[in-house]
Amino acid sequence: QSSTIENRAVLEKRLKEIETRFAGKPVPRPPFWGGFRLIPNAIDFWQGRQDRLHDRLHFSRQETDWHLERLAP
């Protein structure tokens, strides 16, 4: 990750090789890989604008879906 590659074609070629190698099988991960599962209750998105009337969107988790509210800048 974050290493330099020559172009997009190199990345796509490597993907095809890996898809062929692990076709129908789970892709193993190194034993030292760990992680956390994040389950957010709310997410805010902010997009700045030159006129300072920034777009602010607040998504909150409901029982079956997400609720969207637009917030004042």
Side-chain angles (χ1 to χ4, degrees):
Q1 186 175 3
S2 299
S3 60
T4 303
I5 59 173
E6 186 176 340
N7 55 40
R8 177 91 187 169
V10 170
L11 184 62
E12 291 174 357
K13 180 182 177 203
R14 182 72 176 126
L15 174 62
K16 288 190 186 300
E17 291 169 356
I18 291 170
E19 286 175 337
T20 300
R21 181 176 166 194
F22 294 106
K25 300 183 283 188
V27 178
R29 64 176 184 214
F32 58 86
W33 277 16
F36 297 93
R37 180 175 179 204
L38 300 178
I39 303 174
N41 290 321
I43 301 172
D44 286 354
F45 291 98
W46 178 91
Q47 183 174 8
R49 296 175 52 138
Q50 290 181 354
D51 57 14
R52 296 184 58 98
L53 293 177
H54 310 306
D55 283 327
R56 293 181 60 207
L57 303 175
H58 177 81
F59 290 85
S60 57
R61 184 185 297 272
Q62 304 299 309
E63 287 185 28
T64 58
D65 60 353
W66 289 87
H67 177 70
L68 167 62
E69 295 177 303
R70 180 175 292 277
L71 303 177

